[in-house]
Amino acid sequence: MHGRRANNPMAEQVKLEKVKEIIPLVNDMIKKKKTNQYEKEYIDATSVILRKCPYLQTLWNYRREYFESIKNEYLKGDDKTENIPQGDIDKGDFTKTRVEDLKKMMKDENTMIEEILCKFNKCNELWFHKLWIVKYCLKNNLLSVHDLLKELEYCKGSFYLDDRNYHCWNYRSYVIACVHICMGKKACRKVVGDSVEGDKIEESRCGDPLVRGENIFDANTSNYELSKLLIEQNFSNFSAWFLKYSLKESLINIDDELNLIKNAIFTDPFDQSLWEFYRWFLFKKGNYQEQIFFILLENNCIYIFFHNLVKINTSKSKCYNLNNEEIYGEWNRHFISIDNPHNNFESYVYIFKFDESINLKNITYLKLVLHYFKYNIHEPEKINYEKNILQDLLIDADYLNEDNKCEYNIIYEIHFQNFSKNPNFKLLLDYNTQNGKGAKKLCEMKCADIYATLYKYINYSNIILNTARNVDSDLLSSELEQIDELLYLEDGCKFALFTKFEILKRLEKFDELFQVLEQLKQVDHLRAGYYTDRESEITIQGKIHEYYRELEIAGSCNEVLDLSSLNIDNIVYPLMIEAFFIPKINLSNNRISESCTGKFTVNFLYNLRELNLSNNQIKRLDILMKNLYNLKFLEKLDVSKNVLLDINEDLDKFEFVILPVLNEIHISDSNISLLLNEKYKDKHELNTFDVVRTNGKVTLAKVPELESIAL
């Protein structure tokens, strides 16, 4: 199989005979282990066996339990210590000698592991036991920070032999966490001094970086040096590139990094790891903290849009005026799931509603201090060791548990003179003063009545959030030219084509995008379905772009954004968020279902007045209405030619969420209209809506005249 010959039967027989020799010893050790009998002679015997076959977990377990059983004898002394005659060696010196003996035993154990690793460098049992030695020594104060730094040097040497050894990469990350733990304990011992066991540690001083001794070792610098070394040795090393994901920006020179990665790409354009890092560097720049997408002011509320799901700590988030005085109000969020509003604390949009006593007309400046949780930011000096294999090191060391270690904050300043004069919503135009010249130019443009400029602003903000900091469209255009040069030489490189697609998408060159997608389907036919889905997304963005372009030319536009018959099955936030200011959208003749919950972008288009969802795959009207709960200005909804409910449903008990100003729901050619025309033909009201039957067509309507009469 795989071009390899079958094993030699004679060799297999020899291995089998060796295994038979081990079985009696293993059985004997298991019996000893059950009775808690651990003998030195078995340690010597297992050493010989494990050097030849290190995969026997039972033998490693026996060795670990042996060392655990003897530690009190070496660390605290025993009856032998009490029987030392007066005049002989001092008891303290004797205990110190015994501790040194235990240190030597563990050092010899570690040396044995490293010798075996020379032959079995990917044996999981060896790396696990090596980490156990580190933990054992840390818990018993047999190891210093410098010893741990030597372990990092050992890892570096191992990478020279096998730079893709994931066992070694995992071990190295654990050692870095151990360095962090060791420095924390050492610093706290310095603070307390010679305090007796049980005294409380001064936690306030233990948190001081100088006291903690963090200047001894910096994980970011160590990662940078190692990644640079390994990449120079072999640029086709995804693990080494990954180290750069966690680097601080102060250690990175953008031009140097781009030149390095492009030199590697032109050397081997079919190495996927190189393209992954290249796209990461251009479009994401690591797992950085969240940024605000854009802000709206409406109905005495601030709407804060994020690009990703965010969990805001509303109990700590505050709002201040120009004099740094707190402005009080109530926090709320856009419900991702209306069925579970109290337990679902994540959202894309948060709302701060000012107290009724606050008059925004008298306020020219606000400062929002937002505290939020994010758990996927990789910071090597903040490893969640309390949740992994190192958690037992934190026993009696609660001061190492950092409160709110996954909590971050955003300080966002709002100048009200930079809000647009939109009659329905006021959009903040100064997105972020640090995000380049493009945003500043948009701020200078007048946008009192035209939505097109606001679209440009939101779209530009979206580009910024998808590209590296300090990277503008000019750089993307320059990179695009170099990718074209590479494709001239290697026209079948799917990684280059996909990167070109990502750049063109951000530059809104829609005509070229479809050409690239067709090329990708040919060179990467196994993912043709994926590229077809991308075509649907690009078509949507192109339609929005065309809509606003016509709006900008004409000066005003009440036309519908036509997204019908595009084979759309889902629209996930923030896709289509650029359509925020379009009041009428036609999504008919697609494959959208009511299950498009939570991230369904339509539910974030607060300015929507008319929505056409006819001839889709909507089976439950009540669920759909729950998922459109946030559309407070929706007046007309067309869901005809959908199932909408089960044919056996009892319409007398049928209910759905009622939107504030929704006065017209078209339900023709659905199970609801079928029931209303037959079984419930005498029913004239459904869930507070009047049933209007016209030439076989059925509409649920609220007639304003009737409402006024009733009032």
Side-chain angles (χ1 to χ4, degrees), residues 238-289:
F238 191 86
S239 299
W241 287 111
F242 178 78
L243 278 188
K244 288 183 176 286
Y245 286 25
S246 62
L247 295 181
K248 293 182 178 179
E249 284 189 85
S250 59
L251 296 174
I252 295 179
N253 182 290
I254 292 179
D255 294 333
D256 291 344
E257 292 299 323
L258 281 175
N259 289 333
L260 174 65
I261 189 65
K262 283 187 290 188
N263 287 336
I265 284 174
F266 272 82
T267 303
D268 185 2
F270 292 92
D271 190 326
Q272 183 178 1
S273 63
L274 303 177
W275 289 102
E276 290 286 346
F277 178 74
Y278 180 59
R279 286 195 295 271
W280 165 83
F281 195 82
L282 280 180
F283 306 141
K284 296 181 181 178
K285 197 68 175 295
N287 293 323
Y288 282 100
Q289 300 177 17

Side-chain angles (χ1 to χ4, degrees), residues 101-118:
D101 290 341
L102 184 58
K103 281 185 180 181
K104 185 178 183 305
M105 291 173 61
M106 301 314 299
K107 184 177 180 180
D108 293 341
E109 185 78 359
N110 191 44
T111 301
M112 183 189 76
I113 294 293
E114 293 177 358
E115 291 174 355
I116 302 175
L117 279 171
C118 293

